[in-house]
Amino acid sequence: MASVRVAVRVRPLIKREKEVSAKVIIHMEGSTTSIDCNKKHLSKGTPGTGLKERGRQSFSYDFSYDSTDVGSTNFVPQEKVFKDLGCDILEAAFDGYNACVFAYGQTGSGKSHTMMGSPGDKGLIPRMCEGLFCQISEESQGDGASFRTEVSYLEIYNERVQDLLTTKKSPENRSGLKVREHPKDGPYVEDLSKHLVQNYRDIEKLLHAGKARRTTSSTGMNDVSSRSHAIFTINFTQARFDAELPCEMVSKIHLVDLAGSERADATCATGARLKEGANINKSLVTLGIVISALGGDGGGSHKGKRKKQHFIPYRDSVLTWLLKDSLGGNSKTIMIATLSPADVNYSETLSTLHYANRAKNIVNKPTVNEDSSVTVIRKLQEEIVRLKGLVEKNNQAHLSPQDLSKTLKVEEKLHKNEVKVLELTREWTNKWGEAQNILKEGRTLVGRDEASSNPDIVLHGAGLLEEHCVFENRDGVVTLIPQTGALCSVNRLETTQPCQLTQGAVIQLGRGTIFRFNHPKEAAHLREQRKSGLLSSLSLTDFSRLFHSGMDVFAVAGENGDYRQQRSSALSTTDLYGYEPGGVPRGSC
Ligand code: ADP
Ligand code: MG
């Protein structure tokens, strides 16, 4: 159990507020945020008409960030927000938990500034992505762990989901993507593109592209106000051998920049803009109802009291449906409520403070997300240990013929389990050795980042030339073509001539960059031919060694050339054919 943690952050006065000589009414001390009450600025219909004419109302949150005055010693910069909140979320992700950060507040209160920031003053999302790859690089050097990071970016606009990272312009795209529910993994967006990223630069490009596609329009309050909710999701998987056993954890991190929380009338909206407001508010209103239901009577937070099972209307809006796990479910969640310091925004600010106060009561149930095949392997291994104990005990005793036959049965079961563990571990190891470098039909240039010709695959390593080699894929027949002066070898034989590659070939480029060539179709064919014998010659230690070698893979796409399809088909069909631990795979030039 873990409560949603809530931070509030107040920004400096902006030009428009200064122009009307607005006064600062937000004060922060420690984790307490206070607001000067001012009935004069209370807009009609706002709850709180019972407030005193003057006075101060205080709220306590997990964090109160005062960013009103850059010159002040209390000023909270982006770095501090990242250190407090971002690092925590990253830690949760590396521990295998789902996590979510969402920014809530009226238009112009600083949501995008806090989440995304500006080029010279990066916000939480870019900082977290940098931090993620920093830690990945440290950990992959340390204990040979492997990582896979995929991102997606969507916006919910007028209750329709749009992919911010796709260039496809299909008709279904215009009417929005469908939200479906997976029986185990929960709600997801069908056909949302997922992008494999290797480093921060990859993410930066995608963030840029997504930001450019976000629907923005001008309203009375903020010239480029975002009228949509944006969800940037990082799917982060890590794998390693832990005491000779596979260990794989998956974590989903949602980073959410919500549309302005103000009522439509506060932004002088009419017509189409008002309709937008209504739909934007549909998600926000539902979010409010969900938060109230979870934080009030509906949450499981009241120990000892009779638990009432309240209905939580997640399905009433796209936003709450997609964030179902983040609110009252399997996730470590943080809400950042952003505030304007100005008296002219009193009503909205007060409403945000109340909203944030309710969110504190939500109790989530985060759990470590272990890969299901790894869970099976772990359980089988526990059973093996138990059976081994039984066999050992029996071996020391004088057994009757009847007991002897029982022991033989136990031994048989033990053997079967061991074979199963090896088999599953092999499949799992292959999955992780599987391709990140898909060789497309035609020519794929491999080289260094500095090359003016923009290589299709960029490598960093000793002895690599700017343009090092080309992989030519003609109907699934792949040829390595070394460029002049490039150091290339296939199965340890140096080559300067074009060389046709066979399944499992080990390719060395430069002095230390090694790949395995994977061809799913050829692998399947070979497997048919050599169906037996291989399993027993491999042990877990061999898998572990293969895994730890961190060997990357070049692969050919499957039947229809689609990357994602190929990836999943490769997961089930690739094999360790020809790989001899410590030796050289089959196949030659
Ligand atoms: P929102 O996304 O909530 O509509 P923005 O993030 O676009 O609001 O912020 C509105 C304006 O206030 C922007 O010009 C932004 O640079 C500025 N701003 C917001 N928060 C801060 C902050 N903490 N420090 C400095 N400027 C800020
Ligand atoms: Mg914004």
Side-chain angles (χ1 to χ4, degrees), residues 367-378:
T367 46
V368 172
N369 303 304
E370 188 179 54
D371 175 71
S372 52
S373 61
V374 163
T375 309
V376 173
I377 296 172
R378 191 170 43 76

Side-chain angles (χ1 to χ4, degrees), residues 381-426:
Q381 192 62 31
E382 280 165 17
E383 178 70 359
I384 287 172
V385 171
R386 192 184 71 82
L387 293 173
K388 270 188 178 160
L390 268 182
V391 170
E392 242 163 62
K393 209 168 119 200
N394 288 347
N395 281 348
Q396 281 160 12
H398 288 290
L399 301 173
S400 65
Q402 211 180 4
D403 286 340
L404 203 59
S405 101
K406 269 190 201 157
T407 305
L408 285 175
K409 275 198 181 125
V410 172
E411 277 181 10
E412 200 180 313
K413 194 168 172 203
L414 175 64
H415 180 68
K416 269 190 187 158
N417 279 354
E418 281 176 334
V419 169
K420 189 85 191 144
V421 164
L422 281 172
E423 200 175 315
L424 289 171
T425 307
R426 182 195 59 174

Side-chain angles (χ1 to χ4, degrees), residues 296-341:
D297 320 320
S301 56
H302 304 290
K303 268 189 203 158
K305 283 188 189 169
R306 198 158 53 91
K307 244 192 197 172
K308 282 190 213 159
Q309 274 303 310
H310 278 243
F311 172 71
I312 312 290
Y314 291 112
R315 271 176 178 272
D316 283 3
S317 81
V318 172
L319 178 74
T320 47
W321 189 220
L322 283 177
L323 294 185
K324 183 171 168 261
D325 250 348
S326 309
L327 301 159
N330 174 16
S331 168
K332 292 199 173 184
T333 297
I334 294 175
M335 172 190 188
I336 306 177
T338 53
L339 312 171
S340 149

Side-chain angles (χ1 to χ4, degrees), residues 9-14 65-70 75-78 81 103-118 121 214 222 224-226 257-262 338-339:
R9 186 181 195 193
V10 60
R11 63 154 169 76
L13 285 170
I14 54 173
Y65 293 131
D66 186 349
S67 302
T68 40
D69 179 5
V70 189
F75 178 78
V76 174
Q78 304 276 47
V81 178
Y104 178 94
Q106 79 176 117
T107 300
S109 59
K111 297 180 295 298
S112 301
H113 179 87
T114 296
M115 295 305 281
M116 213 52 99
S118 52
D121 196 15
R214 269 197 82 175
N222 188 340
V224 278
S225 124
S226 296
D257 186 357
L258 296 171
S261 59
E262 63 281 351
T338 53
L339 312 171

